[in-house]
Amino acid sequence: MLRTPRATLTLLAALTLLTACECRQPKPDVEPETAVRQEAREERYALPGLDHGLVQSPVNILSGRAEGGHHEIAINMHGAEPNHLENKGHTIQLDFQPGSSVTLDGNEYQLKQAHFHTPSEHQIDGITYPMEGHIVNMIEPKTPEEPPRYLVVSFLFRMGEADPFITSFLDQVPSEEGGEELEAGQVYLSPNDRNPDYEYYHYRGSLTTPPYTETVEWLIVKEIQQASPEQIRRIHLLEGDNARRVQALYGRKVDD
Ligand SMILES: [Zn+2]
């Protein structure tokens, strides 16, 4: 049926009236914001660096701008053996027996633990990788006032061949939150065995989880590692999306 111009006008008038009526409805009371909602809002919209300082991690590394580090790095992790494996809910963590260390420019940091992030926290030239492994080393503070000093070695993973280190423990990760002791001789972390000549990006930053302590030397291994899609999928299933978003450099230099 063809609509006459008059009918169209009537329809328009009715619509206008309807809309106008809706506008005159009293507004429903706005629910007071719950603490949880407020926390979520603040987390989502927090500006990088402003909440916890200006030396935060992770960052996006621009490979073309990283130069001039000349660092002395010695990794002493041959046969480093974890004795505890834990599903912490937000990450999978392996705790190591004392005895291994990383030395950066004359400072020796003791190997403590390794854990994973899915996807990667650091980016290289804007690329987020499906997984990142952090090997956390530490110099214990000498006084209670002093913060601990950390050195984190970071490995970025792409999908490819299965990683033998991950294979050695993945089947034993508890499916629920909780930990278990590892028997001696089960799992070894030997970065030196893979490639003794790793090259690194280096910068000063923070822990990427609370309390975001800003006394961290970061060494990001340039060579992208491989893990199988199945390994990455299983780790992601266990820990979920646990990558902190990238933070501004605020004048910091990334060197290599
Ligand atoms: Zn981490």
Side-chain angles (χ1 to χ4, degrees):
M1 190 185 77
L2 275 175
R3 202 172 270 152
T4 63
R6 190 179 175 77
T8 311
L9 273 175
T10 315
L11 191 67
L12 268 176
L15 274 175
T16 313
L17 199 65
L18 260 178
T19 318
C21 286
E22 244 168 55
C23 288
R24 277 192 224 109
Q25 297 280 328
K27 279 191 180 164
D29 284 339
V30 177
E31 260 181 62
E33 191 172 51
T34 64
V36 171
R37 277 184 70 99
Q38 188 181 355
E39 199 183 306
R41 181 170 58 77
E42 283 170 0
E43 176 63 22
R44 197 172 308 152
Y45 297 114
L47 290 171
L50 298 182
D51 284 356
H52 303 288
L54 303 178
V55 191
Q56 290 288 299
S57 296
V59 298
N60 175 28
I61 293 165
L62 298 177
S63 60
R65 292 199 195 159
E67 56 180 10
H70 311 300
H71 296 287
E72 300 243 332
I73 299 162
I75 296 203
N76 163 36
M77 287 187 194
H78 186 79
E81 202 175 337
N83 51 13
H84 187 79
L85 172 65
E86 189 166 354
N87 176 353
K88 300 188 87 162
H90 59 88
T91 194
I92 292 162
Q93 183 171 312
L94 297 124
D95 296 320
F96 285 83
Q97 298 183 39
S100 298
S101 64
V102 179
T103 303
L104 173 70
D105 299 331
N107 295 310
E108 189 180 13
Y109 298 75
Q110 301 301 316
L111 170 63
K112 293 290 178 189
Q113 48 105 332
H115 62 266
F116 294 87
H117 295 270
T118 47
S120 75
E121 297 198 301
H122 286 88
Q123 297 175 355
I124 310 283
D125 298 326
I127 295 171
T128 297
Y129 288 85
M131 188 166 71
E132 179 168 348
H134 286 161
I135 301 178
V136 181
N137 307 270
M138 187 177 164
I139 298 176
E140 301 278 357
K142 290 187 185 71
T143 64
E145 298 81 46
E146 215 178 292
R149 291 160 64 195
Y150 298 96
L151 185 157
V152 184
V153 182
S154 162
F155 292 87
L156 297 165
F157 288 86
R158 65 179 173 85
M159 288 188 188
E161 300 289 318
D163 179 274
F165 172 63
I166 295 172
T167 303
S168 70
F169 69 81
L170 191 53
D171 284 342
Q172 295 173 72
V173 180
S175 54
E176 304 289 328
E177 274 183 51
E180 69 169 72
E181 301 308 308
L182 292 172
E183 279 171 39
Q186 274 188 309
V187 180
Y188 289 103
L189 173 70
S190 302
N192 321 51
D193 294 349
R194 297 179 177 197
N195 179 354
D197 301 315
Y198 279 133
E199 291 188 350
Y200 304 89
Y201 298 110
H202 164 264
Y203 78 100
R204 295 219 170 96
S206 74
L207 300 178
T208 65
T209 50
Y212 305 110
T213 313
E214 291 185 323
T215 48
V216 182
E217 302 281 350
W218 280 96
L219 289 175
I220 317 289
V221 177
K222 285 188 178 181
E223 188 182 324
I224 306 300
Q225 311 293 303
Q226 293 185 47
S228 71
E230 179 65 6
Q231 289 181 324
I232 294 170
R233 191 186 69 83
R234 284 176 65 189
I235 291 175
H236 182 241
L237 267 176
L238 288 161
E239 63 184 24
D241 294 333
N242 64 347
R244 190 187 193 200
R245 63 195 179 279
V246 290
Q247 308 287 306
L249 277 165
Y250 290 115
R252 279 174 290 169
K253 292 267 183 295
V254 178
D255 53 44
D256 67 352

